[in-house]
């Protein structure tokens, strides 16, 4: 097998590649393989946290919590980069994006809870049993779950770059007002959500279906999200966007089963 090369004249074995990653201090849990090829990307370079950081700084300042900014941002910036590493790497594993599930942001935290982290358990956001019901199969574990999502062309995309939660940040998406929430998302939109849409646009199906994970997020952000999806030729009308939520925060299995026409 031909070995990959890292720069001109530098070849290394697979084992050597892992050693190199360890030496530069990367967390190997962020990396997994799509087939047998180590994946590289260019779209991720456009994800500039510095602009999101300034927006967050202004938000903390305007709301009288600037004293908590530095500590909160240390966590949020690290989470931003690690989450995007996982997301872009996973995108490379999808041949064609047929279904786009629109979410908020990962809880992340010390456990790094995220739909695309194979080392964390599924949550009520999207249980393994939900997909088992839809596909009528048995799914072994989280990595198997991710693989099946990729195989059917299902991609989850977040609208916010900030992994807010009740333990690591002074604010979260339940504690801030609806207007504050909309302002945060709207201000970061060109630097986060739209950049991810551009990356997905190269892989989207001509008949892609977009839907919100939560009805409350759809209610707050449908005009903003639908306008972007129309501009990037994902959909033709806001009426095409549904949601898959039900009372109690869980996935409505019948709704998602109707959407995923396999």
């Amino acid at each position: 097998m031909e070995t990959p090369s890292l720069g001109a004249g530098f070849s290394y074995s697979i084992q050597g590649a892992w050693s190199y990653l360890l030496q530069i201090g990367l967390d190997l849990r962020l990396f997994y393989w799509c087939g047998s090829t180590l994946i590289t990307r260019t779209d991720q370079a456009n994800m500039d946290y510095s602009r999101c950081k300034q927006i967050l700084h202004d938000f903390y300042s305007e709301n009288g919590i600037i004293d908590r900014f530095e500590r909160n941002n240390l966590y949020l910036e690290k989470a931003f980069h690690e989450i995007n590493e996982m997301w872009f790497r996973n995108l490379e594993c999808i041949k064609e994006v047929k279904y786009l599930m629109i979410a908020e942001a990962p809880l992340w935290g010390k456990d790094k809870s995220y739909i695309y982290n194979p080392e964390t358990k599924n949550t009520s956001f999207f249980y393994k049993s939900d997909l088992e019901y839809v596909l009528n199969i048995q799914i072994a574990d989280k990595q198997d779950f991710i693989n099946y999502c990729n195989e059917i062309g299902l991609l989850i995309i977040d609208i916010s770059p900030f992994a807010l939660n009740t333990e690591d940040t002074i604010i979260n998406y339940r504690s801030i007002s609806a207007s504050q929430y909309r302002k945060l998302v709207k201000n970061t939109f060109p630097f986060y959500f739209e950049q991810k849409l551009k990356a997905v646009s190269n892989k989207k199906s001509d008949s892609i279906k977009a839907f919100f994970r939560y009805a409350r997020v759809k209610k707050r952000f449908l005009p903003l999200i639908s306008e972007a999806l129309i501009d990037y030729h994902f959909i033709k009308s806001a009426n095409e966007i549904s949601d898959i939520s039900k009372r109690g925060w869980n996935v409505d299995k019948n709704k998602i089963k109707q959407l995923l026409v396999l």
Side-chain angles (χ1 to χ4, degrees), residues 123-127 130 213-214 244-253:
T123 66
S124 60
F125 172 78
F126 196 3
Y127 282 125
D130 296 329
R213 168 59 183 88
Y214 298 109
I244 59 165
S245 65
K246 70 175 183 180
R247 187 173 298 178
W249 309 108
N250 290 332
V251 166
D252 188 314
K253 296 180 182 180

Side-chain angles (χ1 to χ4, degrees), residues 231-247:
D231 287 346
Y232 286 96
H233 307 292
F234 279 68
I235 59 172
K236 294 180 180 179
S237 167
N239 294 330
E240 297 176 35
I241 309 177
S242 58
D243 70 80
I244 59 165
S245 65
K246 70 175 183 180
R247 187 173 298 178

